[in-house]
Amino acid sequence: MPPSSVAPAVSAPGRAGRTVARLPPTSFFLTSAVFHYLGPSLAVLLFVHIQALGVAWIRIAAAAVFFAIWRRPWRIWRNAQPAQRRVFLGLGVVLAAMNALFYLAIARLPLSTVGAIEFLGTVILAALGARTRRNLLALVLAVGGVAVLTDVRLSGQPLGFVFAFANCIGFMLYVMLGHRIANTSADGADTAQGASPMSGIDQLGLSMLIAAVVATPFGIGYAGTAFTHPLWLAWGIGVGLCSSVIPYVTDQLAMARLKRSTFALMLALLPAAATVIGFVVLGQVPTLRDLAGITLVIIGVAVHHEPAQTPPLRPAPATSAE
């Protein structure tokens, strides 16, 4: 063993890390888009047996257990800088609140309505990063496509809209903090130069453990009935894997290689993904309006241009005077 006073918090990238580094970031995002709607569809069906806050707690707890077994993320806490620890705590609180608010909203409002409100936050993030006319046009097209796809009506339960707009704020914070940990190591150092793609996942896992602790006081009581029904509990665990493991992990892999504004704009694909999943899984045939919305979203994402990043300047080698 080489002499070292402190063991490394995160191991060097292994075969899996090298493999994911070779895949295009869009492949991770498309995976996230699919599971982003598969998870909530399973959760809505489970609301018949378990209240929304109970399902949210099972989802968070199941994800936390999975990350604990897979990555043992608590190891990075010791060597993390105080500023980065605050990021872990902040993201943990956001994950707990966002998941709970999302489920409270979809228990009262249609999923498409909640999804459209949730997208408002990403519109703001994409607009903040749209520095060219081309990217502003891409943003307008994508937002227009979402508006066509989603039929948002301010009707129904007012409390549902309170939860939905609060979730919108939480989703904005998730994208901001998630992008930060995807591009920052656990000790706060910039990871732009060849960092392990698993670094952000380890930090995400630690934040999910914190989220489970935060969510337990207000969620475990509602989840009690699941412990006497193994099928319901397994169902809830499946929701956690589909909603808080697969999409969040693939989000990290995409965020590590995409600008925050680009990732936020690509989230406009989520309503289109919902339409496709509805057709394939539920047999819901899209209307001409749906197809028009999907086309606008795809054109908007295609028009968006990611500026080439200028590589950091390297100091010229010193020349010796002769």
Side-chain angles (χ1 to χ4, degrees):
M1 175 180 289
S4 175
S5 58
V6 180
V10 182
S11 59
R15 180 180 300 178
R18 293 190 297 270
T19 299
V20 298
R22 290 193 293 267
L23 296 175
T26 51
S27 65
F28 304 123
F29 181 83
L30 292 176
T31 302
S32 173
V34 170
F35 283 92
H36 187 87
Y37 279 100
L38 280 179
S41 64
L42 293 174
V44 170
L45 296 174
L46 192 56
F47 288 165
V48 177
H49 308 292
I50 305 172
Q51 293 190 35
L53 284 178
V55 178
W57 180 83
I58 296 174
R59 164 183 172 171
I60 296 169
V65 170
F66 180 87
F67 280 116
I69 296 173
W70 178 34
R71 301 301 303 171
R72 292 183 290 172
W74 58 83
R75 297 177 298 168
I76 66 177
W77 177 269
R78 183 179 59 181
N79 294 330
Q81 297 296 322
Q84 199 64 6
R85 289 180 179 180
R86 288 193 290 271
V87 173
F88 300 151
L89 292 171
L91 182 56
V93 172
V94 166
L95 289 172
M98 179 181 71
N99 290 329
L101 289 167
F102 181 75
Y103 280 7
L104 288 170
I106 63 175
R108 294 165 170 81
L109 298 172
L111 182 60
S112 61
T113 300
V114 178
I117 294 173
E118 184 176 63
F119 179 72
L120 294 177
T122 64
V123 169
I124 296 173
L125 293 177
L128 292 175
R131 303 295 183 182
T132 66
R133 292 182 180 179
R134 175 174 175 173
N135 287 352
L136 286 174
L137 174 62
L139 181 61
V140 170
L141 289 170
V143 173
V146 172
V148 172
L149 272 172
T150 56
D151 183 14
V152 180
R153 298 181 299 273
L154 292 178
S155 59
Q157 299 191 33
L159 186 59
F161 285 96
V162 172
F163 292 138
F165 280 104
N167 170 67
C168 171
I169 296 174
F171 194 66
M172 283 181 63
L173 294 173
Y174 161 70
V175 173
M176 295 168 65
L177 293 173
H179 195 271
R180 175 167 177 173
I181 66 171
N183 295 276
T184 309
S185 65
D187 60 4
D190 187 3
T191 62
Q193 302 300 318
S196 167
M198 307 304 285
S199 173
I201 296 175
D202 289 333
Q203 297 176 75
L204 169 67
L206 178 57
S207 298
M208 190 62 71
L209 293 180
I210 296 171
V213 174
V214 173
T216 294
F218 59 81
I220 192 171
Y222 295 101
T225 55
F227 294 106
T228 59
H229 294 79
L231 180 60
W232 298 355
L233 183 60
W235 192 342
I237 293 172
V239 168
L241 294 177
C242 290
S243 299
S244 291
V245 175
I246 296 175
Y248 289 174
V249 166
T250 50
D251 280 352
Q252 278 299 302
L253 296 173
M255 287 176 178
R257 294 160 63 186
L258 294 171
K259 290 180 61 178
R260 190 180 70 188
S261 58
T262 302
F263 180 82
L265 181 68
M266 290 187 71
L267 290 173
L269 288 172
L270 293 182
T275 304
V276 173
I277 291 173
F279 173 70
V280 174
V281 178
L282 304 176
Q284 299 173 346
V285 180
T287 64
L288 291 177
R289 177 191 179 103
D290 295 330
L291 294 176
I294 292 173
T295 301
L296 282 174
V297 169
I298 293 174
I299 292 175
V301 173
V303 166
H304 180 75
H305 174 66
E306 178 76 11
Q309 296 184 355
T310 303
L313 296 176
R314 296 182 178 179
T319 57
S320 58
E322 295 183 355

